Amino acid sequence: MSAGEIQFVYSAKEMPKFATEPHLVCGFPGSGYVGKLAIDHLIQELHAEHLVDIYSSSFPPQVMIRTDGTADLMKNSIFSWQDKETSLLLLTGDSQPSNPDSEYALAEQILDFGARLGAKQVFTLAAYITGVFVDKPRVFGTATDASIVGDFASHGVSLMDSGSINGMNGLVIGIAKLRGIKGTCLLGETSGYVVDAKASKAVLEALLSIINVNVDMSNLEKRAKDTEMLIQTIEQQMSGRGGLTQEGQQQPQKPRNTGYIS
Protein backbone atom coordinates (compact mmCIF):
# COMPACT_ATOMS: atom_id res chain seq x y z
CA MET A 1 0.00 0.00 0.00
CA SER A 2 1.19 3.52 -0.76
CA ALA A 3 1.28 6.29 1.83
CA GLY A 4 -2.19 7.14 3.08
CA GLU A 5 -3.83 4.25 1.24
CA ILE A 6 -6.86 2.45 2.70
CA GLN A 7 -7.71 -1.01 1.38
CA PHE A 8 -10.93 -2.99 1.92
CA VAL A 9 -10.53 -6.78 1.64
CA TYR A 10 -13.91 -8.51 1.50
CA SER A 11 -14.52 -11.99 2.89
CA ALA A 12 -18.25 -12.19 2.22
CA LYS A 13 -19.26 -13.16 -1.32
CA GLU A 14 -22.10 -10.67 -1.17
CA MET A 15 -23.21 -7.99 1.26
CA PRO A 16 -26.12 -8.78 3.60
CA LYS A 17 -29.61 -7.51 2.89
CA PHE A 18 -31.01 -6.10 6.10
CA ALA A 19 -34.69 -6.19 6.97
CA THR A 20 -34.24 -3.07 9.11
CA GLU A 21 -31.89 -0.10 8.92
CA PRO A 22 -28.65 -1.29 10.57
CA HIS A 23 -26.92 0.45 13.45
CA LEU A 24 -23.20 0.91 12.80
CA VAL A 25 -21.41 0.32 16.13
CA CYS A 26 -17.68 1.01 16.38
CA GLY A 27 -15.28 -0.24 19.05
CA PHE A 28 -11.90 1.27 18.24
CA PRO A 29 -8.96 0.38 20.51
CA GLY A 30 -8.19 3.14 23.00
CA SER A 31 -7.60 3.73 26.68
CA GLY A 32 -8.59 0.70 28.74
CA TYR A 33 -9.74 -1.00 25.53
CA VAL A 34 -13.22 -0.10 26.73
CA GLY A 35 -14.90 0.04 23.33
CA LYS A 36 -12.95 -2.78 21.70
CA LEU A 37 -13.68 -5.28 24.48
CA ALA A 38 -17.38 -4.47 24.31
CA ILE A 39 -17.59 -4.92 20.53
CA ASP A 40 -15.45 -8.06 20.52
CA HIS A 41 -17.78 -9.58 23.10
CA LEU A 42 -20.80 -8.62 21.01
CA ILE A 43 -19.29 -10.16 17.87
CA GLN A 44 -18.48 -13.39 19.70
CA GLU A 45 -21.80 -13.83 21.46
CA LEU A 46 -23.92 -12.95 18.43
CA HIS A 47 -21.79 -15.13 16.11
CA ALA A 48 -21.68 -12.13 13.78
CA GLU A 49 -20.69 -12.68 10.15
CA HIS A 50 -17.33 -11.30 9.02
CA LEU A 51 -17.75 -8.95 6.04
CA VAL A 52 -14.54 -7.04 5.45
CA ASP A 53 -11.06 -6.21 6.75
CA ILE A 54 -9.78 -2.64 6.41
CA TYR A 55 -6.03 -2.07 6.07
CA SER A 56 -4.33 1.31 6.15
CA SER A 57 -0.75 2.48 5.73
CA SER A 58 -1.47 4.89 8.59
CA PHE A 59 -1.72 2.01 11.08
CA PRO A 60 1.47 1.26 13.05
CA PRO A 61 4.08 -0.68 10.99
CA GLN A 62 3.74 -4.04 12.70
CA VAL A 63 1.86 -7.31 12.60
CA MET A 64 -0.48 -8.76 15.21
CA ILE A 65 -0.03 -12.34 16.40
CA ARG A 66 -3.45 -14.01 16.52
CA THR A 67 -4.60 -16.71 18.94
CA ASP A 68 -4.03 -19.40 16.31
CA GLY A 69 -0.37 -18.38 15.99
CA THR A 70 -0.70 -16.61 12.64
CA ALA A 71 0.54 -13.08 11.97
CA ASP A 72 -1.47 -10.38 10.23
CA LEU A 73 -1.10 -6.71 9.43
CA MET A 74 -2.96 -4.37 11.76
CA LYS A 75 -6.51 -3.82 10.54
CA ASN A 76 -10.07 -2.87 11.36
CA SER A 77 -12.83 -5.41 10.67
CA ILE A 78 -16.57 -5.12 10.15
CA PHE A 79 -19.10 -7.84 10.99
CA SER A 80 -22.88 -8.06 10.52
CA TRP A 81 -25.78 -9.50 12.49
CA GLN A 82 -29.54 -9.23 12.39
CA ASP A 83 -32.72 -10.66 13.80
CA LYS A 84 -36.33 -9.80 12.98
CA GLU A 85 -36.19 -6.43 14.76
CA THR A 86 -32.58 -5.22 14.79
CA SER A 87 -29.66 -5.13 12.35
CA LEU A 88 -26.06 -4.37 13.31
CA LEU A 89 -22.76 -3.55 11.61
CA LEU A 90 -20.00 -4.08 14.17
CA LEU A 91 -16.54 -2.59 13.76
CA THR A 92 -13.57 -3.73 15.82
CA GLY A 93 -9.93 -2.84 15.27
CA ASP A 94 -6.30 -3.37 16.15
CA SER A 95 -5.43 0.32 15.89
CA GLN A 96 -6.56 3.83 15.11
CA PRO A 97 -4.73 5.81 12.40
CA SER A 98 -1.60 7.64 13.45
CA ASN A 99 -2.35 11.08 11.97
CA PRO A 100 -5.39 13.38 11.61
CA ASP A 101 -5.62 13.24 7.80
CA SER A 102 -5.76 9.45 7.90
CA GLU A 103 -8.35 9.51 10.67
CA TYR A 104 -10.63 11.70 8.56
CA ALA A 105 -10.10 9.49 5.50
CA LEU A 106 -10.82 6.27 7.39
CA ALA A 107 -13.90 7.72 9.10
CA GLU A 108 -15.28 8.80 5.71
CA GLN A 109 -14.77 5.34 4.19
CA ILE A 110 -16.28 3.54 7.17
CA LEU A 111 -19.35 5.76 6.94
CA ASP A 112 -19.47 5.20 3.16
CA PHE A 113 -19.57 1.46 3.78
CA GLY A 114 -22.30 1.79 6.39
CA ALA A 115 -24.36 4.09 4.16
CA ARG A 116 -24.24 1.61 1.28
CA LEU A 117 -25.87 -0.94 3.58
CA GLY A 118 -28.50 1.53 4.80
CA ALA A 119 -27.08 2.62 8.17
CA LYS A 120 -28.90 5.66 9.56
CA GLN A 121 -27.39 5.68 13.04
CA VAL A 122 -23.84 5.19 14.30
CA PHE A 123 -22.51 4.51 17.78
CA THR A 124 -18.94 4.75 19.04
CA LEU A 125 -17.90 3.19 22.35
CA ALA A 126 -15.11 4.91 24.22
CA ALA A 127 -13.40 5.61 27.55
CA TYR A 128 -14.04 8.47 29.95
CA ILE A 129 -10.70 8.61 31.74
CA THR A 130 -10.79 9.86 35.32
CA GLY A 131 -7.38 8.72 36.60
CA VAL A 132 -9.02 7.05 39.62
CA PHE A 133 -10.45 3.59 40.28
CA VAL A 134 -14.20 3.21 40.85
CA ASP A 135 -16.35 0.29 42.00
CA LYS A 136 -19.25 0.94 39.63
CA PRO A 137 -18.23 2.69 36.41
CA ARG A 138 -20.69 5.27 35.15
CA VAL A 139 -21.55 5.62 31.48
CA PHE A 140 -21.48 9.07 29.93
CA GLY A 141 -22.98 9.99 26.60
CA THR A 142 -23.22 12.61 23.91
CA ALA A 143 -25.10 12.57 20.61
CA THR A 144 -25.59 14.66 17.49
CA ASP A 145 -29.38 14.71 17.91
CA ALA A 146 -31.25 16.25 20.84
CA SER A 147 -33.90 13.52 20.84
CA ILE A 148 -31.23 10.89 21.53
CA VAL A 149 -29.75 12.95 24.33
CA GLY A 150 -33.19 13.25 25.89
CA ASP A 151 -33.45 9.47 26.21
CA PHE A 152 -30.08 8.96 27.93
CA ALA A 153 -31.43 9.01 31.48
CA SER A 154 -33.87 6.17 30.78
CA HIS A 155 -30.89 3.98 29.84
CA GLY A 156 -28.72 4.93 32.81
CA VAL A 157 -26.46 7.20 30.76
CA SER A 158 -25.16 10.45 32.27
CA LEU A 159 -25.19 13.46 29.99
CA MET A 160 -21.90 15.07 28.97
CA ASP A 161 -22.23 18.85 28.72
CA SER A 162 -18.63 19.92 28.13
CA GLY A 163 -15.25 18.73 26.87
CA SER A 164 -14.29 17.00 23.64
CA ILE A 165 -13.79 13.46 22.34
CA ASN A 166 -10.49 12.69 20.66
CA GLY A 167 -9.70 10.42 17.73
CA MET A 168 -12.01 8.17 15.75
CA ASN A 169 -14.63 7.92 18.50
CA GLY A 170 -15.46 11.59 18.15
CA LEU A 171 -14.66 12.01 14.48
CA VAL A 172 -17.00 9.27 13.25
CA ILE A 173 -20.09 10.75 14.90
CA GLY A 174 -19.09 14.28 13.91
CA ILE A 175 -18.78 13.40 10.22
CA ALA A 176 -21.95 11.30 10.48
CA LYS A 177 -23.85 14.43 11.52
CA LEU A 178 -22.72 16.22 8.35
CA ARG A 179 -24.15 13.31 6.36
CA GLY A 180 -27.51 13.35 8.10
CA ILE A 181 -26.71 10.19 10.08
CA LYS A 182 -27.46 10.24 13.81
CA GLY A 183 -24.38 9.71 15.96
CA THR A 184 -23.98 8.66 19.59
CA CYS A 185 -20.86 8.18 21.70
CA LEU A 186 -21.09 6.16 24.92
CA LEU A 187 -18.12 6.43 27.26
CA GLY A 188 -17.31 4.14 30.18
CA GLU A 189 -15.71 5.60 33.28
CA THR A 190 -12.21 4.17 33.70
CA SER A 191 -8.93 4.98 35.41
CA GLY A 192 -7.01 4.62 32.16
CA TYR A 193 -4.37 2.44 33.84
CA VAL A 194 -5.66 -1.07 33.08
CA VAL A 195 -7.56 -2.97 30.40
CA ASP A 196 -10.94 -2.27 31.95
CA ALA A 197 -13.58 -4.92 31.31
CA LYS A 198 -15.74 -3.40 34.07
CA ALA A 199 -16.09 -0.20 32.06
CA SER A 200 -16.64 -2.23 28.87
CA LYS A 201 -19.47 -4.15 30.52
CA ALA A 202 -21.13 -0.93 31.69
CA VAL A 203 -20.91 0.63 28.21
CA LEU A 204 -22.19 -2.51 26.49
CA GLU A 205 -25.15 -2.78 28.87
CA ALA A 206 -26.10 0.82 28.06
CA LEU A 207 -25.82 0.17 24.32
CA LEU A 208 -27.90 -3.00 24.49
CA SER A 209 -30.58 -1.12 26.42
CA ILE A 210 -30.72 1.56 23.72
CA ILE A 211 -30.82 -0.81 20.73
CA ASN A 212 -33.00 -3.39 22.54
CA VAL A 213 -30.78 -6.44 22.02
CA ASN A 214 -30.16 -9.21 24.55
CA VAL A 215 -26.70 -10.77 24.84
CA ASP A 216 -25.19 -13.26 27.27
CA MET A 217 -22.77 -11.23 29.41
CA SER A 218 -21.17 -14.14 31.29
CA ASN A 219 -17.77 -14.04 29.60
CA LEU A 220 -17.47 -10.27 29.92
CA GLU A 221 -18.56 -10.49 33.57
CA LYS A 222 -15.68 -12.91 34.19
CA ARG A 223 -13.24 -10.47 32.63
CA ALA A 224 -14.78 -7.66 34.70
CA LYS A 225 -14.08 -9.65 37.87
CA ASP A 226 -10.49 -10.08 36.72
CA THR A 227 -10.28 -6.31 36.28
CA GLU A 228 -11.71 -5.80 39.75
CA MET A 229 -9.12 -8.13 41.29
CA LEU A 230 -6.32 -6.33 39.45
CA ILE A 231 -7.55 -2.96 40.67
CA GLN A 232 -7.75 -4.24 44.24
CA THR A 233 -4.17 -5.48 44.00
CA ILE A 234 -2.97 -2.12 42.69
CA GLU A 235 -4.85 -0.23 45.40
CA GLN A 236 -3.38 -2.48 48.11
CA GLN A 237 0.11 -1.90 46.76
CA MET A 238 -0.45 1.85 46.65
CA SER A 239 -1.83 2.02 50.19
CA GLY A 240 0.86 -0.31 51.52
CA ARG A 241 3.62 1.90 50.20
CA GLY A 242 2.28 5.12 51.69
CA GLY A 243 4.65 7.54 53.33
CA LEU A 244 8.28 8.31 52.66
CA THR A 245 10.68 5.91 50.98
CA GLN A 246 14.45 5.84 51.02
CA GLU A 247 16.19 9.16 50.41
CA GLY A 248 13.01 11.02 51.39
CA GLN A 249 11.10 10.33 48.15
CA GLN A 250 7.32 10.41 48.46
CA GLN A 251 5.41 7.43 47.09
CA PRO A 252 2.99 8.27 44.25
CA GLN A 253 -0.58 8.84 45.36
CA LYS A 254 -3.84 8.24 43.50
CA PRO A 255 -4.12 10.92 40.84
CA ARG A 256 -6.98 13.40 40.74
CA ASN A 257 -9.99 12.92 38.49
CA THR A 258 -8.79 14.50 35.26
CA GLY A 259 -11.94 13.92 33.25
CA TYR A 260 -9.91 13.08 30.14
CA ILE A 261 -11.96 11.62 27.31
CA SER A 262 -10.73 9.16 24.68
Side-chain angles (χ1 to χ4, degrees):
M1 289 183 290
S2 59
E5 183 180 353
I6 297 172
Q7 182 177 349
F8 280 61
V9 178
Y10 294 88
S11 61
K13 293 182 179 179
E14 59 182 22
M15 291 297 99
K17 295 180 180 179
F18 294 111
T20 58
E21 293 177 349
H23 302 303
L24 172 59
V25 190
C26 303
F28 299 101
S31 297
Y33 271 46
V34 174
K36 178 174 171 55
L37 285 180
I39 289 294
D40 286 349
H41 179 79
L42 204 52
I43 290 169
Q44 180 180 4
E45 293 300 324
L46 294 176
H47 303 289
E49 178 187 1
H50 181 253
L51 298 181
V52 63
D53 290 325
I54 309 169
Y55 296 92
S56 171
S57 56
S58 67
F59 292 155
Q62 63 191 67
V63 295
M64 298 292 292
I65 310 303
R66 309 299 177 184
T67 55
D68 62 359
T70 60
D72 193 8
L73 281 173
M74 285 193 141
K75 63 187 178 184
N76 287 180
S77 300
I78 299 178
F79 296 73
S80 70
W81 174 86
Q82 64 177 317
D83 62 10
K84 293 180 179 179
E85 299 179 353
T86 307
S87 302
L88 299 175
L89 291 168
L90 304 170
L91 184 146
T92 183
D94 299 322
S95 177
Q96 297 190 36
S98 57
N99 62 76
D101 287 345
S102 296
E103 287 182 313
Y104 273 91
L106 180 59
E108 293 278 10
Q109 293 210 26
I110 288 170
L111 290 169
D112 283 345
F113 181 88
R116 288 198 298 271
L117 294 178
K120 299 297 184 182
Q121 185 168 18
V122 58
F123 294 85
T124 59
L125 309 182
Y128 187 95
I129 304 171
T130 62
V132 295
F133 298 122
V134 294
D135 291 330
K136 294 182 179 180
R138 293 170 293 175
V139 176
F140 296 89
T142 184
T144 61
D145 187 278
S147 64
I148 299 174
V149 172
D151 288 337
F152 277 163
S154 63
H155 300 290
V157 177
S158 300
L159 176 66
M160 290 176 57
D161 57 7
S162 63
S164 61
I165 300 173
N166 300 328
M168 295 293 290
N169 291 311
L171 196 56
V172 165
I173 67 168
I175 295 176
K177 183 177 182 179
L178 296 179
R179 293 170 169 234
I181 299 172
K182 294 180 179 180
T184 303
C185 184
L186 301 174
L187 307 98
E189 185 178 20
T190 182
S191 67
Y193 300 133
V194 297
V195 175
D196 197 340
K198 287 177 65 176
S200 295
K201 178 175 176 288
V203 165
L204 183 53
E205 287 173 339
L207 172 70
L208 294 175
S209 174
I210 292 171
I211 64 176
N212 194 29
V213 171
N214 294 317
V215 172
D216 186 349
M217 300 290 283
S218 300
N219 289 334
L220 195 55
E221 286 172 353
K222 292 177 183 177
R223 296 198 66 170
K225 290 180 180 178
D226 292 339
T227 299
E228 188 172 353
M229 292 177 63
L230 175 59
I231 290 173
Q232 289 175 352
T233 299
I234 294 172
E235 288 183 321
Q236 289 171 359
Q237 291 175 345
M238 292 176 70
S239 62
R241 294 198 308 247
L244 296 176
T245 62
Q246 293 181 353
E247 299 182 357
Q249 293 180 344
Q250 187 75 28
Q251 285 288 351
Q253 302 298 313
K254 288 184 181 180
R256 296 178 293 107
N257 184 334
T258 59
Y260 176 75
I261 301 165
S262 172

